[in-house]
Amino acid sequence: MFEIKDLCSAYGDIQVLYNIDLHIDEGEVVALFGPNGHGKSTLLKAISAVHPARSGSILFKGQEIAKTPAHKIVELGIAYIPEERFLFPDMTVMENLNMGAYNLNARKSMAENLEFVFDVFPRLKERRGQLCSTLSGGEARMVAIARGLMCNASMLMVDEPSIGLSPSMKFAVFEAIEKVNREKNLTILIVEQEIEHALRMANRMYQIRKGRILFERKADEIDVKEIEKAYF
Amino acid sequence: MESILNALVSGFVSGSLYAIMALGLTIIYGISRVFNFGHGIVAVLGGYLAWTFFTRASLPFVVSLLFMLPVMYLLGWLVYRYAIRGLMKKPNADFSTVLFMLGLGIMLENIILQIFGPRVKAVPELVTGSIMLGAIKIKNHELALMVIVLLGIIVLTQFFKRTRMGQAMRAVAQSIPGAGVVGINIERIFGYTFGLAFMVTGFSGALLASKYFMIPHIGWDWMVKGFVIVAFGGMGSIPGAVVGALVLGMAESFTTLALGAVWVWPVWFIMFLVLLLLRPQGLVGGRN
C-alpha cells in the first residue's frame, strides 16, 4: 500500500536522511524508533511534503507522490499529525476540527468523522466552543490528533503523540490511536519515544540511526533490549 | 454643547471611513505578513476607477463599484501571483516585499497622474440633503457612508467566520504549518488574500473620495493614517483596525475643535507613541 525507496532528505547543506527504504501494508501499525535528531520527524515531513525529500520515490496506493505538494498529499489520503501540533490558536476546538476536514473528500464524510472523533475524545465534545489557545497540553494534543482524523485519510502519521503528557493522558492518547486502527482500519505510522507503549499496538517497527534504517523487526521478533541498545 | 455633538458625529464619520481603509492593510498583513507600503495608492486607484465609471461612463454609483471591485481584485491577485509569490520564497522576503509594494505605489501614483492629471477630483455625494438629529445636522451622504461601512464590516467578518475560504484565510494567518498539515493550498490562499485586500482597499478609496477630495499623491497621506490605525489597534487584527480607526477619528475631530486642524497629526502621534509604550501589541492586540 505504501512504499518508500531510496529516499534522501536534507536541510540546506545538511543531509538528514540517507537512502531510506520502508514499506507499510494496509491496516498495519508501524512504529519508528530512534534517538532525537536522527531523522524520524524529517521522514514524516518528507512523506507529507511539509519538507519535501531531495530524492527517492514514495509510492502510495500505486501512485508516485514524492513530488506532490503537501495539500494534495492530504487529499490523497495521508494525514500528518506533527509533534509541534500546529493548531490554530484563535479558533475554537470545533473550528480546528472543521479545518481538518478542509479537503473536498473529507467534506463529504465530515458529520460521520466528527461523530467518531467525539466518541474517541469525549473531552473535546465538552470543549468544542473553547479557543485552542486556552487548552491544556493534553487537550491540545487531542485536538491535533482529532484534526488529523477529520482529514478522512486512509493512512495516519503520528509524531510523538505522548510527548509532554501526564501518564494518564498518555494512556488515553495511545488508547485512542489503537481504537482508530481497530475501528477505522487506518494504516498508522507512529514515531514514539515510549517504546513499550508503542510496541503494544505495533505490528512492525523500524529503527533509525543517523538517518539510516538500522533494522526492521516484526512484532513477534522484537527485542526491547536491542532497541534500547540502538539508542546509544 | 452643540459643537461637541458635531465633533462627535464628524469623528464617527471619518472614523468609519478610516476603519474600512485600514482593513485592507490589516488583512494583507495579518494573513500573508506582507506590509503593503503601496496601500494608500491602491485606495486612490480604487477612487479614480470609481470616479471614472461614475462620472465619465455615467453609471450609477453602486454599478460603478461593481465594475471597480473585480478590477481591484484582479490587480491584487496579479501582484501576488507574478511578484510577491516569488519574492516570499527568497531570503530577505520581509524587506524585498516592502520595497516592491512601495515601488508599485510610486509607479501607480505616476500612472494615475499621467492619466487623470494633477487636478483635484471628487466622487459626487451618493445622496444629497441632510437631516436634523436634535440640535445637530447630519448630511444624508455621511449617514449613507456610515451605513455602507458598517455593512462592509459585517460582510467581511461573516466572510471570515462562515465561508470555507474565509476560514482558510484565518487558518493561514494563525499557523502556516498548521494550514499545510490540513491540506490548505497556502499560495492559493495568499493570492485570494491579495485580491480581497486590494478590493477592500479600492472600495475604501471610492468612499474616501466621496467625502474628501482626491489627488494622486493623497494616497501617501491615507497610507500613513492607515499604518497608525493598524498599529494602534493591533497589527493584523480586524477589530483592532475598527477600534483604532474610531479612536483616532474621534481624536481628529476633537483636536480640530479644541486646537485646530494643524494639531491633528501631533496629537495622533503623541497618542500613538504613548500607546506603544504602554501596550506595544496595540489596543485590541494583534501580532507584534
Side-chain angles (χ1 to χ4, degrees), chain B residues 122-259:
Chain B
V123 171
E125 296 192 340
L126 305 177
V127 277
T128 50
S130 57
I131 55 163
M132 295 296 292
L133 269 182
I136 47 170
K137 192 165 109 176
I138 307 176
K139 279 179 161 182
N140 286 339
H141 174 63
E142 292 179 342
L143 272 180
L145 285 180
M146 284 193 282
V147 171
I148 291 174
V149 168
L150 188 69
L151 286 177
I153 292 170
I154 291 173
V155 167
L156 265 180
T157 41
Q158 290 303 308
F159 167 78
F160 282 117
K161 213 175 163 73
R162 309 236 176 260
T163 67
R164 181 165 178 262
M165 200 207 287
Q167 288 175 342
M169 285 178 180
R170 275 166 64 215
V172 171
Q174 291 176 30
S175 170
I176 288 180
V181 162
V182 298
I184 294 172
N185 185 344
I186 292 158
E187 291 188 349
R188 182 182 293 171
I189 293 297
F190 281 166
Y192 294 156
T193 300
F194 269 73
L196 174 72
F198 270 48
M199 203 164 79
V200 173
T201 306
F203 180 65
S204 75
L207 298 184
L208 282 162
S210 73
K211 168 96 166 72
Y212 309 104
F213 65 97
M214 188 166 62
I215 43 174
H217 70 251
I218 194 76
W220 301 109
D221 250 43
W222 293 354
M223 186 194 77
V224 177
K225 281 187 173 161
F227 275 174
V228 175
I229 288 164
V230 165
F232 195 89
M235 304 282 291
S237 151
I238 287 181
V242 174
V243 171
L246 286 176
V247 170
L248 290 170
M250 289 295 171
E252 184 183 76
S253 64
F254 280 99
T255 307
T256 310
L257 176 69
L259 303 167

Side-chain angles (χ1 to χ4, degrees), chain B residues 1 3 71 103 115 120 142 161 256 273:
Chain B
M1 188 60 202
S3 55
V71 176
I115 297 175
V120 170
E142 292 179 342
K161 213 175 163 73
T256 310
L273 292 177

Side-chain angles (χ1 to χ4, degrees), chain A residues 71 80 86 88-90 95 102, chain B residues 164 170 174 178 181-183 185:
Chain A
H71 64 271
Y80 166 47
F86 298 135
F88 308 118
D90 298 330
E95 285 175 314
Y102 180 79
Chain B
R164 181 165 178 262
R170 275 166 64 215
Q174 291 176 30
V181 162
V182 298
N185 185 344

